[in-house]
Amino acid sequence: MQQMNKDLRAHRNVEEHGTPVLQSSIPSEFPQVECTPCRFRNAIGKYRLRRSDACVACGTCAEVCPYGVHQKKLNKMARPKHYLCTGFECNKCVEACPEQALSLDENPVTKVIGDRRWTPD
C-alpha cells in the first residue's frame, strides 16, 4: 500500500509540474512518460523583423520589447526571435530604434503554408 501511495505521488508530480519521473516501479496502469525531442526545429512567426546594417547594437529594441524578441549578447544584437513578435499591434522596437535599422512586415512563408493559430486578416 505504501508503494502504491508513493507511485501515485510520483504520477501527480508529473501532472502538476510537467517533470517526467522515470521510475521502473510505476504500476502499469499509469502511462509511461518518455522524453522526446521537439519536432519543430525552426519556429515560424506571422511577422518578420529585419535589422539593417545601420544597427549599432545599442540595445534599445531589447529594452523596449515586452515579448523578448530582441536580445543583446556581448556587443552584438542576436538574431530576432520572429515567432515571439506580435506585429503591428506593438511595433515598439521599430519606433524606438534611433538608427531606424528595424523594419517589420508579414512573413510570406505563413501565407504559403498557413497556420491554424493565425486567422486570415
Side-chain angles (χ1 to χ4, degrees):
M1 188 66 175
Q2 287 179 333
Q3 180 64 30
M4 184 73 156
N5 287 337
K6 180 181 175 185
D7 294 337
L8 285 171
R9 280 184 298 219
H11 181 70
R12 284 190 196 114
N13 188 32
V14 171
E15 290 176 347
E16 292 172 3
H17 304 293
T19 308
V21 179
L22 300 176
Q23 295 178 349
S24 60
S25 63
I26 296 177
S28 61
E29 64 259 18
F30 295 120
Q32 295 296 318
V33 178
E34 296 180 16
C35 295
T36 58
C38 179
R39 61 185 192 154
F40 302 109
R41 295 195 178 151
N42 297 317
I44 299 173
K46 184 176 181 180
Y47 300 99
R48 179 174 56 183
L49 280 161
R50 293 183 183 176
R51 183 177 285 126
S52 70
D53 293 334
C55 179
V56 293
C58 65
T60 304
C61 54
E63 293 171 6
V64 173
C65 182
Y67 301 104
V69 176
H70 306 278
Q71 292 180 348
K72 186 172 182 177
K73 294 186 178 180
L74 299 176
N75 294 332
K76 295 182 180 180
M77 294 302 296
R79 185 176 177 192
K81 296 179 181 178
H82 305 285
Y83 57 93
L84 296 175
C85 184
T86 59
F88 300 107
E89 295 173 7
C90 176
N91 208 23
K92 290 180 182 179
C93 58
V94 176
E95 294 170 357
C97 182
E99 302 295 323
Q100 302 301 313
L102 290 173
S103 63
L104 178 69
D105 60 345
E106 285 193 39
N107 192 348
V109 174
T110 57
K111 289 183 180 180
V112 174
I113 63 173
D115 191 351
R116 64 177 173 77
R117 297 173 292 179
W118 306 107
T119 58
D121 294 335

